[in-house]
Amino acid sequence: METPAIGSISSDGGDISTVIEAAFKQYKTLLPPPPDSLLLENMMVTAKGSLDAFHRYYVSCLSEAQDEHGSRLAEAAMLEAHVLQANARATAAREKTLNASSDVEASLQYLQKPEGGYTSGLNGSLFRKHDLILVEDFCSELEPVLVRLTEKAVDPSYMHGTVAWDKRQQCKERDRGRKMSISSDVTFMSECDLRNERRELLKTKIRKPKAKPCHMKSLGVSSMHSPTTESKLQPKEPMPEFVSAPSSILFHDFEVGKIYQQTIELKNVSNTMRQCRVIQPISSLFTVSAGQFQGEAGYVAPGMNCYYPVTFRPQSLDDCSDVIRFRSQSGAVIGVTVEAMIPPVKLDLPPILECGQCLVGTSKQVIFPINSIDGRQRSFTVSANTARSCILLISEESEANNCLVLPPFSIRPKHFTVECGKRVDLEIHFEPQNRETAECGIILTCEKGKSQSFCVTGEGCIPNISILSLHHGQLSSAMSGELADLSADHIIRFPELNPHMNAHQVLSLRNSSAIEYSFKWMLLEPNLQPAPPISICSTETTEHEFDSSLFVVDPSQGRLAAYDIKDFLLSFTPKRVGKFDALLTFELQCADVSARSTGKEASCSDAQQSAAATFSIFTLELKGSCQQRQLMLKPSLLTVAGRISMGCTFKQKLQLVNMSLGAVEFCFETVNSPHIIEVVPASGSLGKDMEVDLTLSITGTIPGRLEVGLRCDITGEAEPIWLLVQAEIKGAEVIIEEPCLDFGLVRLGSEVTRTLTLRNPSSLRTCWTMQEECGFLFSPSSGELPPLGTALVSVVYTPTHCLTLDTVLGVDTVHGGSSSFLSARAEVQEPSVCILSCQLRVCDSYVGVPGSYTLSLYNQTLLPTEFEWGCLEGKDSEFVKATVEASRGILAPRGTLEVVVTLTPLTVGELSDLSLPCYIDGATEPIYASIFCKVHGLKACVTIEDRTETFADPATRGQLRLDFDDSVVFAEATPTSLCLVNESAMVATFSVSVERLAVRKSAPAPLTQQPKSASCSSLLQRKGGGASLQLPAAVVPSVGCGFLVQPSRGELQAFEKIPVAVTMHATMWGLYTDVLIVQIGDLEPMRIPITARVTGNPLFFQMMGPTFNKNLTFNRTPTLHFGSHCCGRPAVHRSVRVTNPSPVDIRLDWQTFKVIKDDPQLIDLIVVVGEAFPLLDGSSVVSQEAQDARADLIQVHMRQHEGFASGSLFSVGSQQTMVPALSKANVTFQFVPPLTCDTDGDTFNGYALGYMSLAPQVKNVVGVVTRDDGYQVSALRMDLSAAVKPALLQLETADEEGMLYQLTAGSLLQQDGTVLNSVEATSSFLLKNNGQMSLKFGMLIDGPFVLSNVLPSVGCREEGTYCLKPHCAAQVKIGFSLTAETLKGNTGDLQVTLFENQLHYHGQVKIKHDNETQQVLPLQAIVSLPTLRVSHEVLDFGTVVVGHTRELQVNVSTQGVSAVYWSVTHSDDVFEVTPCKGRLEPYTCHSCKNSRSALVVSFTAKKRGKF
């Protein structure tokens, strides 16, 4: 708490009434000012003659008040004198008694009231008249008890509670823990509080006489000194007499020149009236004023207080402390510590102010923001810390600029003020002069005298730039005798180039400092000198040139960041031949250079700073050279061997080789007159060390010698290169394109024509003529050829006799040209042909069967010869039909031709008189071939397995029979086969047919209707085919069976064996018979008997599909799953469809069975009397027709035992089901869940058998089929499976405490005090269905709990009913509605209890399932009621003068978690409460300010009396 300042001390020592009034302002309203008697007498005299009734009444009341004041002061003085006299008598009697006691008696303690002591000298009636306490109020009369020191101490009688103390025990318990202290503000303590505190202190001191409680020191209590200090036995510890409050005094946040004051309260805790004397502290800064006593002569009555003002006059802002001692009448000393201190300054500056690195000769500015952490406005001064090594320079300029200069640092501002919520920037300029770490200490001194030390550091550095690497090269130094600039740090050498070429190198630099620089590259002319050591042989004499445009650095200038690596591209581009040098300097300038000077010296200072901030880091010498390009042409001289025809083009390969340092571009010139000379390609680019192939073309236009120089220009070179060409050109000539003229084989008497091609290869016109030759005719025989032209000459040769021709033909040119020759050849002959085999003999042939035979013709000459066959000749030519494949044709020279002759006999027997003529072109007579034939008739047989029957052979008749196996299964195509054999070469037709049960082919038709959607089709396919089974590609007769013959007819080729497949298709079981008829050609038909037995069940469930095998059962039995159901639920029905693909109606008689685990029975024995399954009417009673038709026959059947009759567990809706032919029927299976089941559930397995029965008219068809039914055929089976589980949902609450709602009654209150209708709190729990079935349930909830929501929605059509699917969950939200009626307990049957200021509501959620079972979830709501606590039950304003107002403070607070809206009502207008109403928030922690409020109760005395 901040100590209030009294005011400044007057410098002239004048009136100090204001100081005293400020120091004792708390007592201004306690007592009225003393009235002036003279003024009152004047007022009374004036009032007697006054006409104002109020004036007269006021003066009379004032007179009565003065009289009453005087009488009360007299009574108080009399009472104080009485108390002092009684205290003096009691003290004298006690000292007399103690002085008269011996040493032995001192070892005993008589804790009794001394006779004639303090109590005997007091007037009790006088004390009670003035409402004062007596010793009897807290001490009772007891007999003295002798207590030894070694025994346990017994509480004395004065420690026992009095009647008044017991009455106020409740007040003590309520106010326990409160610390009563007297500060500069006025605090009124009731009589009950004083007595309770006094008794607590007395009990603490007396119950532990051997040890002094440690907390007494903090209260400033000092024990009394015993008269007998030296005793053999341990004396009793003296009791405290006074207690100080507070135990210590603290002055903080003080200022020099002001006065501060606090008050020490001493309370008399003894049973006698005491005096107390103050001992002034040693320090002159603290002064204790005279004490303020309620009695006279400085005495303090038991339980009463006295006050000592303590004044503090600070002379500096340093901390100080002292001790104020109070000595009681018995010599006991009480010490009170008094201290004065100023809290330390709290700034958010770091202890070390780091300025970082800065280049030597430059400056750097760093800004540190300053904020006040404690939120107070402070004024600071920055000064140097002399304890650290820094030099303080103070100049007029720095003082004017509010700057502190501590080289190399300067700090601005030197004086500043930090306001609450604002920031001040502290600027530090760092300007190092050398390369070292600078450090300086500064002190921030507050206006209160508090200071805080800081250290300012900075590092002066020089640029630290290093060459990291040189890509595509390396740094080198000058060689001995080499001309170089000796000041360069390194030499960068570029590779040798040709003119206008480029060379690049990348230089990487690293900045190893934390400073950002501005860099710039300077390109200078080098000072070239020979590098040492210098010798005569090593001294370089070549002249070096400097050209700044040849070397380029990119980037040439920019910024180099701290700790950055930067790459620079160095380029060298020579333009001429020579050696070049340049000097490259890298200069840096700090990016943070700034000037601190102002005014007129600013420009000069800026120039100096900039110059000082530029650094030359290193120097590099760049060297590069350029040489001439070198190219070579292979060959450089071309001499063409031989001659080149005029107008013809000669081509020669050339090579151009680049031996330069880089790529070159070349360009050849083209010569067009008088000759045409060119190079391809004429221009191009050639890389380093590469060569290119060129083609030189020469075209001569003038005969004679050719010598030409061809120029090649090189880009960038002034001198070209030359190619010298030498050749000889010749004139035109005629050339014969054909190498020879071959007429080939020539028939005598015919002409042959050939063509010659004449070509003029020159560019001149040429005349030609053919040389004459016998037997040859030329057309044309002469002519003229244009330049490069051609001409065709036709040559006709006509022979006159047979010979072999071999001669030469020539062509002559005009004007003395050369002639051309070619050879001519020919062979002249006449035709001659013969038959190699002139007789054809055919031993085996058949009537009507063509036979092919071969005859060979041979050409005896080289001439192609034409021939033609004639017709058969002879006596037997009419019984044979002959055809020749090639009746006419041409025989190749010296060739043989095979001719195919086809003979077809028309009769049986031997044919010998036959001949076939052949006519040759050019011959006078034909040549003949003779023929002989032997002819046979038709022969065939039938083979079944290893048995054979031949047509027209009576010995083999009746040996064949076609029998199918007994294991023929329904809906399976069962094939068998027979073989038709043609034992002759004749082709015959055949036919195979069935007499009665024939099947014809048709397109596949589905057995049942296809599914309506693709999803249904895919579902049936996944279940094993579903209803997608198709009948065979055949139409079966209505009896249920048919035979399909493939092939049924056709042709039987010569010596061919044809297998005939007879496939049986059945749609119904039974024993079938028929006859197979075989017809071949015109032979007599063959009849073969057929027998077949069909087994199997034609019916199938559409859910499974028809899947059969040869074991007479399904591949897998369909299973109907009823799923999981709750016990006690209604029956579950499942409808399945049965398909009948057979052509007859089938009746099913159903029987249901249940499977029992570990059943020992193996077989079932069934005895049937009469018909096994008679036809039943609608009432399940045998009809009269069925009873009449039933035969008196007893049958016994045996089957494998699998289960017992299921009873009511599994059943079929209709015991008999009629499935129409080629149709479907629905069968309804039923499962009735039992009423009870195990906790884990039960599983039930069973099956249903449907026995098939047929009508009498379809059981036996004479000569076609016979069938069985009932127990004699396999039954239709359906496996049944169901599970029963209890109806149980898993309940999971969101909280571990369950469905708990916690509300406060204050939540119904709004900020303005109005009451809401209701407040709702929600909580949720999770319903999980972990079973395999859907559960239907309803929920009943006790009010005021209500159902809020169910997510996701699982409602049914029935209102209030929910359905939860398997493995699904739903979140149920239940709310608790809090209303005013709910707080009153109007909740119906809901249980409501009150515990610890809380209402507990207990309800439950009942989940009722549809099988009448239920689950219960408890609900609990806790409503915290508001609790209001008032610090005082009774407010005693004491005596107040009429017209004056006295205020007391009452604290109102909440103790619970509910908000409270309060208001104050009172009936008397003399009291006023401010504020009169308000709202208190719930009490959450000690620092919560909204949970308590201070009320100011004021009392204004308007008239005399008690209120």
Side-chain angles (χ1 to χ4, degrees):
M1 180 181 68
E2 185 176 358
T3 306
I6 296 176
S8 302
I9 300 176
S10 179
S11 59
D12 55 356
D15 186 19
I16 61 170
S17 61
T18 57
V19 178
I20 297 176
E21 181 179 1
F24 300 96
K25 62 182 180 181
Q26 61 268 31
Y27 300 105
K28 289 173 63 177
T29 59
L30 293 178
L31 298 175
D36 189 354
S37 59
L38 181 59
L39 178 60
L40 185 59
E41 291 178 358
N42 294 333
M43 291 177 64
M44 294 178 62
V45 173
T46 306
K48 292 181 180 180
S50 176
L51 300 178
D52 190 359
F54 182 79
H55 184 202
R56 294 194 303 270
Y57 176 76
Y58 177 78
V59 172
S60 61
C61 292
L62 184 61
S63 177
E64 293 177 1
Q66 184 182 12
D67 297 339
E68 181 68 16
H69 177 63
S71 61
R72 290 194 177 188
L73 289 179
E75 291 178 358
M78 181 269 297
L79 185 60
E80 185 176 2
H82 178 71
V83 171
L84 292 177
Q85 293 175 4
N87 186 25
R89 288 193 298 269
T91 303
R94 186 180 297 106
E95 292 177 353
K96 182 179 180 181
T97 303
L98 292 175
N99 293 332
S101 62
S102 61
D103 295 339
V104 177
E105 293 175 347
S107 61
L108 301 177
Q109 294 181 348
Y110 293 94
L111 300 179
Q112 59 182 357
K113 183 171 65 175
E115 297 181 359
Y118 185 82
T119 306
S120 60
L122 293 178
N123 188 355
S125 60
L126 184 63
F127 271 67
R128 287 186 171 83
K129 176 181 177 183
H130 293 88
D131 197 18
L132 297 176
I133 60 175
L134 293 174
V135 179
E136 287 80 5
D137 294 338
F138 52 89
C139 293
S140 58
E141 296 291 336
L142 295 175
E143 294 296 329
V145 181
L146 182 63
V147 181
R148 295 187 181 273
L149 295 177
T150 58
E151 296 178 355
K152 183 179 179 180
V154 180
D155 294 341
S157 60
Y158 59 81
M159 290 186 63
H160 295 175
T162 61
V163 176
W165 182 84
D166 292 334
K167 289 181 180 180
R168 293 177 173 86
Q169 182 64 23
Q170 184 178 1
C171 177
K172 169 189 172 182
E173 293 296 332
R174 185 178 68 248
D175 297 334
R176 182 184 299 275
R178 294 182 59 195
K179 295 181 180 181
M180 306 298 295
S181 61
I182 299 178
S183 61
S184 60
D185 298 334
V186 178
T187 301
F188 292 93
M189 301 177 63
S190 62
E191 181 183 358
C192 175
D193 297 332
L194 293 174
R195 292 179 180 177
N196 292 339
E197 186 173 358
R198 182 172 179 268
R199 290 191 181 96
E200 290 296 324
L201 293 174
L202 291 177
K203 287 183 180 181
T204 304
K205 292 298 294 181
I206 295 176
R207 288 177 180 175
K208 298 182 179 180
K210 294 183 180 181
K212 181 178 180 181
C214 60
H215 68 274
M216 286 299 180
K217 298 178 181 181
S218 63
L219 294 175
V221 180
S222 178
S223 61
M224 296 182 298
H225 297 278
S226 174
T228 308
T229 59
E230 296 179 0
S231 178
K232 297 180 181 180
L233 299 177
Q234 183 179 0
K236 176 186 175 183
E237 184 179 359
M239 292 184 55
E241 298 176 358
F242 289 90
V243 176
S244 66
S247 60
S248 62
I249 296 177
L250 175 64
F251 296 90
H252 58 85
D253 283 349
F254 53 85
E255 297 179 3
V256 178
K258 294 186 179 181
I259 299 176
Y260 302 87
Q261 190 177 66
Q262 292 192 30
T263 302
I264 298 177
E265 175 188 2
L266 294 181
K267 183 184 297 182
N268 185 0
V269 296
S270 64
N271 57 357
T272 59
M273 184 174 292
R274 300 282 182 176
Q275 285 183 337
C276 184
R277 184 171 62 87
V278 64
I279 301 176
Q280 293 292 335
I282 299 176
S283 175
S284 62
L285 301 177
F286 302 96
T287 305
V288 182
S289 303
Q292 300 177 9
F293 301 89
Q294 297 182 2
E296 295 180 356
Y299 282 89
V300 181
M304 302 304 288
N305 303 330
C306 63
Y307 305 95
Y308 288 89
V310 179
T311 304
F312 173 54
R313 296 179 176 85
Q315 298 179 0
S316 65
L317 297 177
D318 297 332
D319 298 341
C320 56
S321 62
D322 208 335
V323 178
I324 301 175
R325 295 177 177 84
F326 299 89
R327 185 180 298 276
S328 64
Q329 184 179 359
S330 61
V333 178
I334 301 173
V336 178
T337 302
V338 56
E339 295 178 333
M341 63 176 62
I342 295 177
V345 180
K346 296 182 180 180
L347 300 177
D348 60 346
L349 278 177
I352 298 177
L353 304 179
E354 180 64 41
C355 296
Q357 295 182 347
C358 182
L359 291 178
V360 175
T362 64
S363 63
K364 180 180 181 181
Q365 177 178 340
V366 183
I367 298 177
F368 295 91
I370 300 178
N371 296 315
S372 178
I373 298 178
D374 53 4
R376 301 180 181 180
Q377 180 174 348
R378 303 281 189 176
S379 297
F380 296 88
T381 300
V382 183
S383 61
N385 189 355
T386 57
R388 308 188 72 90
S389 59
C390 77
I391 302 175
L392 178 62
L393 297 179
I394 302 177
S395 61
E396 295 180 1
E397 180 182 357
S398 64
E399 289 292 334
N401 294 336
N402 192 16
C403 177
L404 175 64
V405 179
L406 302 173
F409 302 94
S410 59
I411 304 170
R412 183 186 293 111
K414 183 178 180 182
H415 307 283
F416 60 92
T417 301
V418 180
E419 298 181 1
C420 179
K422 295 184 178 180
R423 187 186 74 177
V424 175
D425 293 336
L426 183 65
E427 300 178 3
I428 299 179
H429 292 265
F430 177 43
E431 187 174 359
Q433 300 300 325
N434 50 19
R435 184 182 178 184
E436 63 180 5
T437 301
E439 183 177 344
C440 178
I442 61 173
I443 298 176
L444 266 69
T445 305
C446 181
E447 60 184 355
K448 298 295 184 179
K450 295 297 180 179
S451 61
Q452 190 172 356
S453 299
F454 298 89
C455 180
V456 182
T457 61
E459 182 181 359
C461 63
I462 61 176
N464 187 6
I465 307 298
S466 61
I467 298 177
L468 185 62
S469 64
L470 179 64
H471 302 277
H472 311 297
Q474 59 182 359
L475 300 176
S476 62
S477 58
M479 295 182 293
S480 176
E482 182 183 9
L483 292 178
D485 193 331
L486 301 182
S487 63
D489 298 323
H490 302 283
I491 297 178
I492 297 179
R493 304 179 187 272
F494 288 91
E496 192 172 14
L497 302 177
N498 297 128
H500 304 285
M501 292 179 62
N502 293 328
H504 304 281
Q505 292 193 16
V506 179
L507 181 66
S508 297
L509 301 184
R510 173 188 290 171
N511 181 9
S512 302
S513 61
I515 303 175
E516 182 180 3
Y517 302 99
S518 298
F519 66 88
K520 182 179 181 182
W521 291 94
M522 301 293 294
L523 199 63
L524 307 175
E525 183 176 1
N527 182 16
L528 301 179
Q529 297 177 4
I534 302 175
S535 61
I536 298 176
C537 61
S538 63
T539 302
E540 187 179 1
T541 60
T542 306
E543 182 181 0
H544 289 249
E545 301 179 29
F546 170 74
D547 189 353
S548 61
S549 63
L550 303 183
F551 298 94
V552 178
V553 183
D554 185 25
S556 61
Q557 60 184 1
R559 285 184 174 268
L560 186 60
Y563 300 109
D564 189 17
I565 297 176
K566 196 171 187 66
D567 296 335
F568 299 89
L569 182 64
L570 307 179
S571 302
F572 172 54
T573 307
K575 299 179 181 178
R576 61 185 181 276
V577 178
K579 292 186 177 181
F580 305 93
D581 283 89
L583 196 64
L584 190 63
T585 303
F586 186 68
E587 296 182 355
L588 290 181
Q589 185 177 8
C590 182
D592 298 330
V593 173
S594 61
R596 297 184 291 105
S597 301
T598 56
K600 299 180 179 179
E601 299 177 358
S603 59
C604 181
S605 299
D606 289 343
Q608 295 177 0
Q609 291 290 338
S610 301
T614 302
F615 303 89
S616 178
I617 305 302
F618 52 80
T619 303
L620 301 176
E621 183 179 1
L622 306 181
K623 285 181 173 292
S625 62
C626 180
Q627 68 177 6
Q628 192 72 29
R629 291 183 176 87
Q630 297 181 6
L631 286 92
M632 183 175 66
L633 187 62
K634 297 180 181 179
S636 59
L637 173 62
L638 178 61
T639 301
V640 180
R643 296 185 304 167
I644 302 176
S645 299
M646 186 177 59
C648 296
T649 301
F650 173 79
K651 295 185 178 181
Q652 177 66 36
K653 295 293 184 178
L654 302 177
Q655 283 188 345
L656 182 63
V657 182
N658 180 17
M659 295 183 294
S660 304
L661 299 176
V664 297
E665 293 183 0
F666 62 91
C667 181
F668 284 89
E669 68 172 349
T670 301
V671 177
N672 295 322
S673 178
H675 303 282
I676 301 174
I677 303 175
E678 61 180 355
V679 177
V680 178
S683 61
S685 177
L686 188 60
K688 178 182 179 182
D689 297 331
M690 295 183 64
E691 61 184 22
V692 62
D693 293 332
L694 306 175
T695 302
L696 175 64
S697 299
I698 304 174
T699 303
T701 58
I702 300 175
R705 184 72 176 174
L706 183 148
E707 288 187 2
V708 177
L710 194 63
R711 187 182 61 187
C712 178
D713 296 326
I714 306 300
T715 302
E717 296 294 336
E719 295 295 330
I721 60 177
W722 295 89
L723 174 63
L724 183 59
V725 181
Q726 296 178 356
E728 184 71 26
I729 307 300
K730 68 175 182 177
E733 63 180 347
V734 176
I735 298 174
I736 301 175
E737 295 287 342
E738 288 78 7
C740 67
L741 190 61
D742 189 2
F743 291 94
L745 182 62
V746 180
R747 186 187 295 269
L748 183 62
S750 62
E751 294 180 354
V752 180
T753 303
R754 296 288 184 268
T755 302
L756 295 179
T757 302
L758 304 180
R759 180 172 61 84
N760 182 12
S762 64
S763 59
L764 301 176
R765 301 183 67 88
T766 303
C767 296
W768 59 272
T769 179
M770 296 295 298
Q771 297 179 2
E772 297 290 339
E773 187 69 26
C774 180
F776 291 92
L777 179 62
F778 301 98
S779 178
S781 60
S782 62
E784 184 180 357
L785 287 175
L788 303 177
T790 59
L792 298 179
V793 177
S794 178
V795 181
V796 179
Y797 173 60
T798 305
T800 58
H801 58 276
C802 294
L803 76 158
T804 299
L805 177 65
D806 188 4
T807 186
V808 176
L809 301 178
V811 179
D812 297 331
T813 59
V814 184
H815 307 295
S818 61
S819 301
S820 298
F821 300 93
L822 81 162
S823 63
R825 291 174 298 182
E827 184 71 28
V828 182
Q829 293 182 357
E830 59 181 358
S832 177
V833 178
C834 68
I835 301 175
L836 296 180
S837 178
C838 61
Q839 186 176 6
L840 180 62
R841 187 176 183 85
V842 181
C843 296
D844 293 326
S845 62
Y846 296 89
V847 177
V849 178
S852 298
Y853 310 97
T854 303
L855 293 177
S856 298
L857 294 178
Y858 175 68
N859 187 1
Q860 298 176 350
T861 65
L862 295 176
L863 294 175
T865 304
E866 294 183 2
F867 67 90
E868 182 178 0
W869 291 95
C871 297
L872 283 176
E873 298 178 0
K875 296 180 181 180
D876 297 329
S877 60
E878 56 180 319
F879 303 108
V880 178
K881 182 180 180 181
T883 58
V884 182
E885 183 177 353
S887 62
R888 62 176 59 193
I890 299 175
L891 281 173
R894 299 290 182 180
T896 301
L897 179 63
E898 293 185 352
V899 179
V900 178
V901 180
T902 303
L903 301 178
T904 305
L906 302 178
T907 183
V908 178
E910 293 182 0
L911 305 176
S912 58
D913 190 5
L914 293 173
S915 61
L916 183 64
C918 181
Y919 301 95
I920 303 300
D921 185 18
T924 57
E925 295 292 336
I927 57 177
Y928 290 91
S930 62
I931 300 174
F932 172 79
C933 294
K934 187 176 181 179
V935 184
H936 303 282
L938 177 63
K939 185 178 180 181
C941 67
V942 178
T943 302
I944 299 177
E945 295 180 353
D946 56 350
R947 292 171 295 175
T948 303
E949 182 175 345
T950 305
F951 285 85
D953 188 1
T956 60
R957 287 285 183 176
Q959 294 181 3
L960 297 182
R961 180 176 295 273
L962 195 60
D963 292 332
F964 288 87
D965 295 338
D966 294 340
S967 59
V968 176
V969 181
F970 159 78
E972 289 188 0
T974 305
T976 187
S977 64
L978 53 90
C979 186
L980 303 181
V981 182
N982 185 1
E983 297 179 348
S984 65
M986 300 176 61
V987 177
T989 61
F990 70 89
S991 64
V992 183
S993 61
V994 180
E995 186 176 13
R996 290 184 297 271
L997 303 178
V999 174
R1000 62 183 179 86
K1001 292 185 179 180
S1002 64
L1007 189 60
T1008 58
Q1009 295 182 358
Q1010 296 291 337
K1012 294 182 179 180
S1013 63
S1015 60
C1016 296
S1017 175
S1018 60
L1019 177 62
L1020 293 176
Q1021 291 175 4
R1022 291 198 301 269
K1023 290 185 176 181
S1028 60
L1029 179 68
Q1030 295 181 350
L1031 285 174
V1035 177
V1036 181
S1038 61
V1039 294
C1041 178
F1043 299 96
L1044 178 63
V1045 180
Q1046 290 180 335
S1048 61
R1049 61 185 62 251
E1051 284 187 351
L1052 194 60
Q1053 300 297 329
F1055 303 102
E1056 183 182 9
K1057 293 182 180 181
I1058 295 181
V1060 178
V1062 180
T1063 304
M1064 177 181 178
H1065 297 276
T1067 58
M1068 190 62 183
W1069 75 86
L1071 179 61
Y1072 298 89
T1073 59
D1074 206 340
V1075 176
L1076 185 67
I1077 301 174
V1078 181
Q1079 177 73 45
I1080 297 178
D1082 54 356
L1083 299 179
E1084 185 180 356
M1086 184 182 299
R1087 298 174 62 87
I1088 302 174
I1090 301 176
T1091 59
R1093 181 179 295 276
V1094 180
T1095 59
N1097 191 343
L1099 301 182
F1100 62 89
F1101 293 99
Q1102 189 171 0
M1103 61 179 286
M1104 190 67 180
T1107 54
F1108 307 96
N1109 61 11
K1110 294 185 179 182
N1111 295 326
L1112 306 182
T1113 58
F1114 292 98
N1115 284 338
R1116 54 188 184 276
T1117 304
T1119 302
L1120 182 61
H1121 297 278
F1122 287 91
S1124 299
H1125 301 278
C1126 295
C1127 56
R1129 277 192 172 180
V1132 182
H1133 299 275
R1134 296 287 187 269
S1135 180
V1136 297
R1137 179 171 292 179
V1138 180
T1139 302
N1140 181 11
S1142 67
V1144 298
D1145 298 342
I1146 300 176
R1147 187 180 75 248
L1148 292 176
D1149 291 87
W1150 291 98
Q1151 294 180 2
T1152 56
F1153 303 88
K1154 62 180 178 180
V1155 179
I1156 299 177
K1157 188 177 181 181
D1158 300 331
D1159 187 5
Q1161 188 173 344
L1162 299 178
I1163 61 174
D1164 292 335
L1165 192 63
I1166 304 172
V1167 180
V1168 179
V1169 179
E1171 189 177 356
F1173 299 100
L1175 181 62
L1176 304 178
D1177 57 6
S1179 302
S1180 298
V1181 180
V1182 180
S1183 62
Q1184 186 63 34
E1185 292 80 5
Q1187 292 181 0
D1188 297 340
R1190 185 176 60 185
D1192 296 332
L1193 182 63
I1194 297 177
Q1195 299 178 2
V1196 178
H1197 301 277
M1198 185 172 60
R1199 68 184 177 192
Q1200 181 183 358
H1201 176 78
E1202 296 184 27
F1204 297 93
S1206 62
S1208 61
L1209 185 64
F1210 295 107
S1211 61
V1212 183
S1214 176
Q1215 186 177 355
Q1216 286 187 347
T1217 303
M1218 179 61 70
V1219 184
L1222 301 176
S1223 184
K1224 306 172 184 177
N1226 293 329
V1227 179
T1228 302
F1229 294 92
Q1230 176 176 313
F1231 170 70
V1232 180
L1235 297 178
T1236 59
C1237 66
D1238 295 339
T1239 306
D1240 298 334
D1242 296 332
T1243 302
F1244 298 95
N1245 294 322
Y1247 60 94
L1249 296 179
Y1251 291 95
M1252 297 178 288
S1253 300
L1254 301 175
Q1257 61 272 16
V1258 298
K1259 290 181 64 176
N1260 294 313
V1261 179
V1262 179
V1264 178
V1265 64
T1266 58
R1267 296 187 178 96
D1268 298 329
D1269 61 355
Y1271 289 106
Q1272 297 177 355
V1273 296
S1274 60
L1276 183 64
R1277 175 166 176 158
M1278 171 68 76
D1279 288 344
L1280 306 175
S1281 175
V1284 177
K1285 293 186 179 180
L1288 185 63
L1289 293 173
Q1290 181 181 354
L1291 307 179
E1292 294 183 3
T1293 58
D1295 299 328
E1296 295 180 356
E1297 298 178 354
M1299 301 293 290
L1300 179 62
Y1301 303 84
Q1302 293 185 350
L1303 298 91
T1304 60
S1307 58
L1308 290 173
L1309 294 176
Q1310 295 185 356
Q1311 295 294 334
D1312 55 355
T1314 59
V1315 181
L1316 297 174
N1317 294 331
S1318 64
V1319 176
E1320 183 174 345
T1322 60
S1323 182
S1324 62
F1325 65 92
L1326 199 64
L1327 286 177
K1328 288 185 177 180
N1329 184 5
N1330 297 326
Q1332 304 293 332
M1333 55 189 175
S1334 299
L1335 296 179
K1336 291 184 180 181
F1337 59 91
M1339 288 185 287
L1340 299 178
I1341 304 175
D1342 299 336
F1345 298 96
V1346 295
L1347 178 62
S1348 298
N1349 196 2
V1350 179
L1351 294 175
S1353 180
V1354 293
C1356 297
R1357 295 181 179 180
E1358 301 178 6
E1359 185 177 0
T1361 304
Y1362 304 92
C1363 181
L1364 195 59
K1365 295 182 179 180
H1367 302 290
C1368 293
Q1371 185 182 20
V1372 180
K1373 290 186 178 180
I1374 296 181
F1376 176 77
S1377 180
L1378 179 63
T1379 60
E1381 296 296 328
T1382 306
L1383 292 176
K1384 295 178 182 179
N1386 299 334
T1387 58
D1389 298 335
L1390 190 67
Q1391 180 183 358
V1392 182
T1393 59
L1394 179 62
F1395 178 73
E1396 295 184 354
N1397 204 28
Q1398 292 179 343
L1399 289 176
H1400 293 253
Y1401 298 84
H1402 300 277
Q1404 60 184 3
V1405 179
K1406 294 180 180 179
I1407 301 175
K1408 290 190 175 182
H1409 299 274
D1410 55 354
N1411 61 348
E1412 302 302 328
T1413 61
Q1414 67 179 9
Q1415 293 177 252
V1416 178
L1417 178 65
L1419 304 175
Q1420 182 182 4
I1422 300 177
V1423 180
S1424 300
L1425 300 178
T1427 302
L1428 185 65
R1429 179 178 178 181
V1430 184
S1431 60
H1432 295 79
E1433 293 184 356
V1434 178
L1435 292 180
D1436 187 2
F1437 289 88
T1439 302
V1440 181
V1441 179
V1442 176
H1444 288 74
T1445 301
R1446 180 177 295 177
E1447 295 178 351
L1448 294 181
Q1449 181 175 326
V1450 178
N1451 294 325
V1452 180
S1453 62
T1454 58
Q1455 296 297 322
V1457 296
S1458 176
V1460 177
Y1461 186 84
W1462 57 269
S1463 61
V1464 179
T1465 58
H1466 51 85
S1467 58
D1468 203 337
D1469 57 351
V1470 297
F1471 296 97
E1472 184 178 355
V1473 181
T1474 305
C1476 62
K1477 61 181 179 180
R1479 176 186 173 89
L1480 297 178
E1481 299 299 329
Y1483 177 77
T1484 57
C1485 59
H1486 295 288
S1487 61
C1488 184
K1489 298 181 180 181
N1490 296 331
S1491 62
R1492 57 182 180 268
S1493 178
L1495 308 182
V1496 178
V1497 183
S1498 60
F1499 170 69
T1500 303
K1502 298 183 178 180
K1503 61 181 179 178
R1504 182 178 183 180
K1506 291 185 178 182
F1507 300 92

